[in-house]
Amino acid sequence: MNILLIAVGGFFGAIARYFIAKKLPSISTFFVNMTGSFLLGFLMGVMPPSKWSLLLGVGFLGSYTTFSTFKVEIIHQFREKKWKPALAYMFLSYFGGILLAFFGYMSGLRLYQFRHQQFILRRPIDHERSSFRPLNPKAHFFI
């Protein structure tokens, strides 16, 4: 079942990337890698590992983002002796991706905490009988 979830997510992620490449041909790789970094960080922050994270994180975002195409584009820029654009692209992609993943993670974590607080305000949770386990804030070193 896990492999099927990953395959379905991968199918739709590849199609999304294809359409973005058609609409934004000159910046498609950068765009999908930056949005994918943010979305994967958000997914990590908003939900604990589950079947949804396999479908969306490993499947969809795994095929949506493209590290290999990024590398090939850098090689082409170096071959054409476009040193400054290649270095700027590398810098923006690496550090921008990390920064966006961090912001996505923090946004997802805040949403998770907000939703958890709303749930608590509506009715108390009996942790002995509930499968719901809130995140341990000490386990998240970003906080």
Side-chain angles (χ1 to χ4, degrees), residues 105 109 112-113 116 133-143:
Y105 176 78
L109 187 60
Y112 177 85
Q113 290 171 340
H116 177 65
R133 299 285 183 256
L135 290 176
N136 178 3
K138 293 178 183 176
H140 293 84
F141 62 93
F142 292 124
I143 297 177

Side-chain angles (χ1 to χ4, degrees), residues 90-110:
M90 285 173 35
F91 179 81
L92 287 172
S93 292
Y94 285 123
F95 293 107
I98 291 169
L99 192 62
L100 284 170
F102 173 74
F103 287 139
Y105 176 78
M106 294 305 292
S107 299
L109 187 60
R110 295 293 180 243

Side-chain angles (χ1 to χ4, degrees), residues 70-109:
F70 163 68
K71 294 297 185 188
V72 169
E73 289 175 354
I74 294 294
I75 290 169
H76 284 295
Q77 287 182 339
F78 278 131
R79 281 184 153 178
E80 295 172 3
K81 300 191 185 320
K82 296 180 179 176
W83 310 111
K84 288 182 182 179
L87 292 173
Y89 185 33
M90 285 173 35
F91 179 81
L92 287 172
S93 292
Y94 285 123
F95 293 107
I98 291 169
L99 192 62
L100 284 170
F102 173 74
F103 287 139
Y105 176 78
M106 294 305 292
S107 299
L109 187 60

Side-chain angles (χ1 to χ4, degrees), residues 21-122:
K22 292 293 180 192
K23 295 289 183 187
L24 305 169
S26 60
I27 61 164
S28 62
T29 303
F30 182 75
F31 181 82
V32 298
N33 284 341
M34 294 302 101
T35 57
S37 294
F38 178 83
L39 291 171
L40 189 56
F42 183 82
L43 186 65
M44 287 175 51
V46 80
M47 71 172 58
S50 66
K51 300 287 184 187
W52 284 105
S53 58
L54 286 176
L55 175 75
L56 299 173
V58 177
F60 183 85
L61 292 172
S63 67
Y64 175 74
T65 58
T66 171
F67 196 66
S68 56
T69 303
F70 163 68
K71 294 297 185 188
V72 169
E73 289 175 354
I74 294 294
I75 290 169
H76 284 295
Q77 287 182 339
F78 278 131
R79 281 184 153 178
E80 295 172 3
K81 300 191 185 320
K82 296 180 179 176
W83 310 111
K84 288 182 182 179
L87 292 173
Y89 185 33
M90 285 173 35
F91 179 81
L92 287 172
S93 292
Y94 285 123
F95 293 107
I98 291 169
L99 192 62
L100 284 170
F102 173 74
F103 287 139
Y105 176 78
M106 294 305 292
S107 299
L109 187 60
R110 295 293 180 243
L111 178 63
Y112 177 85
Q113 290 171 340
F114 175 75
R115 288 175 60 206
H116 177 65
Q117 288 172 352
Q118 297 290 41
F119 184 74
I120 289 174
L121 293 175
R122 279 188 259 145

